[in-house]
């Protein structure tokens, strides 16, 4: 399935969310989507940062919506103020095989974390609350890491961890991430909720009490 066909399929499922009324869903629900971004504005963002946005994400924000009220507290625009917290022009220093798992760090390594180096090479996709985010890697020398979505949670001492599709155990790109949101939300009872942390795989397998 090509990118446009897949986006169409996902947004058709998104329409079904209007039939749900989840009590526990944060952010404005059902989802509302803003206008797509103009190509020249996206190109300007890319040129300024010396990057090319992942094609599935780029296609979505230029043909469907530049931002929205979901997932969680909403899909960020690439020009939102919060994006300034990460420098997309510099390389992401982690990769799929070597993420930042704070539970694996020694106390000395933890104290020595350089947050200026850490917050680079990605853009924020959404905020789940309590300083837990989904991020999209947009600047990486590792081809398997570029274009993947990660779970970012330094406030609660988890780390920066890649998301894995529970069906095939592969990493997730933007459309995988968005489709998981709509599929997972459609299957929830109105008094239930989920978090993307459930897709971090190795972290939660090693820390089941979390």
């Amino acid at each position: 399935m090509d990118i446009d066909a897949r986006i169409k399929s996902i947004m058709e499922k998104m329409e079904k969310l209007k039939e749900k009324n989840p009590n526990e869903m944060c952010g404005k629900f059902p989802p509302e989507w803003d206008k797509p971004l103009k190509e020249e504005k996206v190109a300007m963002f890319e040129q300024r940062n010396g990057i090319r946005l992942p094609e599935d994400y780029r296609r979505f924000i230029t043909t469907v919506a530049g931002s929205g009220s979901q997932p969680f507290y909403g899909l960020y625009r690439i020009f939102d103020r919060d994006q300034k917290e990460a420098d997309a022009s510099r390389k992401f220093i982690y990769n799929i095989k070597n993420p930042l798992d704070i539970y694996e760090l020694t106390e000395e390594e933890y104290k020595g974390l350089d947050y200026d180096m850490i917050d680079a090479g990605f853009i924020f996709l959404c905020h789940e609350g309590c300083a837990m985010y989904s991020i999209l890697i947009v600047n990486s020398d590792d081809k398997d890491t570029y274009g993947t979505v990660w779970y970012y949670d330094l406030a609660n001492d988890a780390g920066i961890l890649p998301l894995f599709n529970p069906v095939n155990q592969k990493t997730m790109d933007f459309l995988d991430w968005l489709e998981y949101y709509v599929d997972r939300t459609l299957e929830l009872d109105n008094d239930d909720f989920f978090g993307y942390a459930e897709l971090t795989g190795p972290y939660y397998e090693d820390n089941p009490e979390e």
Side-chain angles (χ1 to χ4, degrees):
M1 186 182 299
D2 67 23
I3 290 177
D4 290 325
R6 186 156 182 226
I7 289 175
K8 183 175 183 292
S9 174
I10 292 172
M11 296 311 289
E12 286 174 350
K13 288 193 286 187
M14 202 75 71
E15 283 294 307
K16 298 178 182 178
L17 292 181
K18 293 180 179 179
E19 302 170 9
K20 295 188 68 67
N21 184 30
N23 300 321
E24 299 297 328
M25 185 64 69
C26 56
K28 190 172 184 178
F29 192 90
E32 294 181 0
W33 303 98
D34 298 324
K35 294 179 180 179
L37 300 177
K38 293 182 178 180
E39 168 66 30
E40 54 266 31
K41 287 189 174 290
V42 174
M44 185 184 304
F45 177 85
E46 292 174 322
Q47 183 177 17
R48 185 169 61 207
N49 289 287
I51 61 169
R52 172 77 178 185
L53 293 170
E55 289 303 320
D56 61 336
Y57 172 74
R58 196 181 198 284
R59 190 67 177 165
F60 185 88
I61 64 173
T62 57
T63 65
V64 178
S67 60
S69 68
Q70 288 289 323
F72 296 93
Y73 287 103
L75 179 68
Y76 286 120
R77 285 164 48 92
I78 56 174
F79 303 109
D80 281 343
R81 182 180 304 172
D82 286 356
Q83 300 292 9
K84 295 180 180 179
E85 298 299 319
D87 186 353
S89 71
R90 293 188 289 115
K91 300 293 183 182
F92 187 58
I93 64 174
Y94 302 105
N95 59 56
I96 300 300
K97 295 181 179 180
N98 296 288
L100 174 59
D101 186 341
I102 288 179
Y103 279 84
E104 292 186 351
L105 300 181
T106 65
E107 183 175 354
E108 183 177 348
E109 289 171 330
Y110 178 73
K111 291 181 178 179
L113 287 174
D114 184 342
Y115 290 94
D116 285 336
M117 291 290 293
I118 288 172
D119 288 334
F122 63 84
I123 60 172
F124 289 100
L125 290 178
C126 81
H127 181 209
E128 290 187 33
C130 298
M132 297 179 290
Y133 298 86
S134 289
I135 62 173
L136 177 66
I137 311 307
V138 298
N139 194 347
S140 173
D141 287 329
D142 183 67
K143 63 180 180 60
D144 294 325
T145 299
Y146 171 78
T148 57
V149 180
W150 290 48
Y151 177 69
Y152 179 106
D153 181 7
L154 299 180
N156 303 291
D157 289 342
I160 306 177
L161 305 160
L163 301 186
F164 292 93
N165 189 320
V167 175
N168 57 24
Q169 300 305 311
K170 293 183 178 180
T171 53
M172 304 181 82
D173 61 19
F174 171 75
L175 291 182
D176 292 330
W177 173 84
L178 189 63
E179 188 162 30
Y180 186 84
Y181 159 77
V182 67
D183 288 343
R184 192 76 171 84
T185 305
L186 283 170
E187 73 182 15
L188 292 176
D189 294 330
N190 284 341
D191 59 351
D192 202 0
F193 63 95
F194 83 97
Y196 279 108
E198 68 190 29
L199 300 180
T200 55
Y203 169 75
Y204 275 86
E205 289 172 8
D206 294 340
N207 301 277
E209 73 276 6
E210 296 294 320

